[in-house]
Amino acid sequence: MDVTLRKIAKEFGSTAALHELSLDIRSGELIALLGPSGSGKTTLLRLIAGLETPSAGTVMFGEEDAARRPVQDRRVGFVFQHYALFRHMTVLENVSFGLSVRPRASRPTASETRRRALELLDFVQLPGLGGRYPAQLSGGQRQRVALARALAIEPRVLLLDEPFGALDAQVRRDLRRWLREVHDRTGHTTIFVTHDQEEAMELADRVVVMSQGRIEQVGTPDEIHDAPASAFVHGFIGESVKLPVEIGQGIIRHAGRPLGLRAHGRGASTLYFRPHEISRIVSPGEGLSGTVVSYRRVGGLRRVELALGPDDGERVEIDIPAGEQVSTGDTITFRPTNWRLYPEPAADEGHRPLEVKYA
């Protein structure tokens, strides 16, 4: 089921939660809505579900305006962060609930409802637990029950709001892999909300990065990480180093020193790059040069903190091979190999990158 959002806006009183955003979600996609708290991602999910009404714009399911259908007829499966299971019902009764409250004309028989609920418990790898109550299950098991209940109604769209946020790290990792397998087997159009970039990048076909009620970028995990469309995305996804620079006569300078990088435009900008995307240089008078303040091992790399300039006030962190030895007080000169420039913004220009090229 395709889901199309057109100029969706949402206001709560005088506060704008979403600002006329548009998004096309293809049938069978697994989409992540990623952003910090307050970015509007859960509000957008609730609008798709019909739990909120947009102040403006339309939500389309296929060729149909979803607003014309009441919530119970949209066939949307919703999985909440804190499970929202009925504590007084058994696991089997929880999974069966969506089928048992259907209008009489479309409600399966009691035996058919039980059969489908048991099949779903097998599907989510909880066979034999139908007689237990939610309090007798672990957090990961409860979330599997919540997903089984959402799948029981045969949803056209599956929505998940921070589905693993209440679980510990190892359980989250296990359930992420499992959810991707479930999605690939069922083929549902699936939209999930998260503030965890690792979760979004591992699970999603495409990631929708949101900030302050707006969509900053939509793309595959590789596109989001390797070609960020704004300063916000560059700073939010992965690790980034940012430095104030000046552009003049096609040359980028930091604190008056040319970096050996070229760009169009002129004036104040911010240079962004990843800590590992650098090369050591020995060219006199060019590059970023700093004094080693500290260093530590990070996996197969050595993370080095450098103080730039004589006053020791500006610091950056870069990665060098773990086998390369450094000492406090050493001088390292380097140049970014993959970088982007974002001009000092006007209030509405959104930190979009300048066109850049290597020297």
Side-chain angles (χ1 to χ4, degrees):
M1 172 65 66
D2 291 342
V3 178
T4 304
L5 311 177
R6 284 290 173 265
K7 295 186 176 180
I8 292 292
K10 179 62 179 178
E11 297 174 354
F12 295 99
S14 61
T15 302
L18 297 173
H19 302 273
E20 290 198 354
L21 56 84
S22 297
L23 178 65
D24 294 317
I25 301 171
R26 297 184 289 268
S27 180
E29 269 195 304
L30 180 56
I31 290 284
L33 304 181
L34 174 66
S37 297
S39 59
K41 52 191 187 297
T42 292
T43 299
L44 183 57
L45 197 76
R46 291 175 62 85
L47 287 169
I48 296 170
L51 301 178
E52 300 283 355
T53 302
S55 303
T58 57
V59 178
M60 304 291 292
F61 283 6
E63 300 298 321
E64 180 183 43
D65 185 349
R68 297 182 178 180
R69 281 183 174 266
V71 175
Q72 61 270 25
D73 290 343
R74 290 194 187 191
R75 280 180 52 198
V76 170
F78 206 120
V79 179
F80 298 89
Q81 177 178 349
H82 295 288
Y83 324 123
L85 299 177
F86 300 114
R87 290 178 294 176
H88 65 287
M89 292 184 180
T90 66
V91 166
L92 190 65
E93 290 168 340
N94 267 281
V95 176
S96 303
F97 180 78
L99 296 173
S100 62
V101 296
R102 276 187 176 178
R104 186 175 299 275
S106 60
R107 188 186 311 163
T109 64
S111 61
E112 175 64 10
T113 297
R114 177 181 173 81
R115 182 190 67 78
R116 287 167 62 175
L118 289 171
E119 282 183 353
L120 280 167
L121 287 178
D122 285 340
F123 181 72
V124 299
Q125 301 171 4
L126 294 176
L129 299 185
R132 294 191 185 181
Y133 287 87
Q136 297 173 300
L137 303 178
S138 69
Q141 288 174 326
R142 286 181 222 174
Q143 198 58 291
R144 289 172 187 254
V145 173
L147 182 59
R149 184 177 64 182
L151 293 174
I153 64 169
E154 299 176 334
R156 298 190 293 176
V157 180
L158 181 63
L159 308 176
L160 304 99
D161 187 9
E162 299 274 9
F164 312 128
L167 305 172
D168 63 55
Q170 183 57 52
V171 175
R172 284 203 307 271
R173 284 192 290 270
D174 291 342
L175 282 183
R176 284 205 298 261
R177 289 191 292 269
W178 172 76
L179 178 60
R180 182 72 229 195
E181 292 172 3
V182 168
H183 174 267
D184 291 343
R185 290 168 62 185
T186 62
H188 289 105
T189 302
T190 303
I191 308 164
F192 75 99
V193 160
T194 183
H195 65 272
D196 184 333
Q197 57 177 276
E198 180 183 325
E199 187 169 281
M201 303 293 265
E202 179 182 335
L203 264 177
D205 297 317
R206 288 192 299 156
V207 179
V208 180
V209 184
M210 298 183 64
S211 174
Q212 298 181 339
R214 294 180 171 88
I215 292 176
E216 290 280 337
Q217 187 173 359
V218 182
T220 66
D222 283 345
E223 290 167 345
I224 295 292
H225 185 275
D226 298 338
S230 69
F232 173 82
V233 177
H234 209 309
F236 186 69
I237 301 295
E239 295 182 292
S240 293
V241 178
K242 64 177 183 177
L243 287 172
V245 295
E246 289 284 336
I247 307 170
Q249 298 179 323
I251 297 172
I252 303 173
R253 291 180 172 86
H254 172 262
R257 180 187 178 108
L259 303 185
L261 308 174
R262 301 188 65 84
H264 299 296
R266 61 183 300 111
S269 292
T270 304
L271 176 74
Y272 277 75
F273 60 93
R274 308 291 184 191
H276 65 283
E277 294 180 332
I278 58 107
S279 65
R280 301 282 290 275
I281 61 173
V282 294
S283 303
E286 282 195 350
L288 288 159
S289 189
T291 303
V292 176
V293 176
S294 65
Y295 53 89
R296 63 189 185 275
R297 182 69 178 261
V298 180
L301 298 169
R302 194 175 303 281
R303 177 67 53 86
V304 181
E305 183 182 12
L306 300 175
L308 305 179
D311 60 0
D312 200 35
E314 190 170 25
R315 298 192 178 188
V316 300
E317 289 188 331
I318 63 170
D319 293 332
I320 63 175
E324 187 173 335
Q325 298 301 312
V326 295
S327 300
T328 302
D330 287 353
T331 297
I332 292 179
T333 303
F334 69 95
R335 180 166 58 202
T337 57
N338 187 17
W339 47 277
R340 288 204 162 206
L341 283 173
Y342 300 90
E344 291 300 312
D348 60 349
E349 67 98 49
H351 290 68
R352 301 296 161 183
L354 291 171
E355 181 183 356
V356 296
K357 62 181 179 181
Y358 298 107

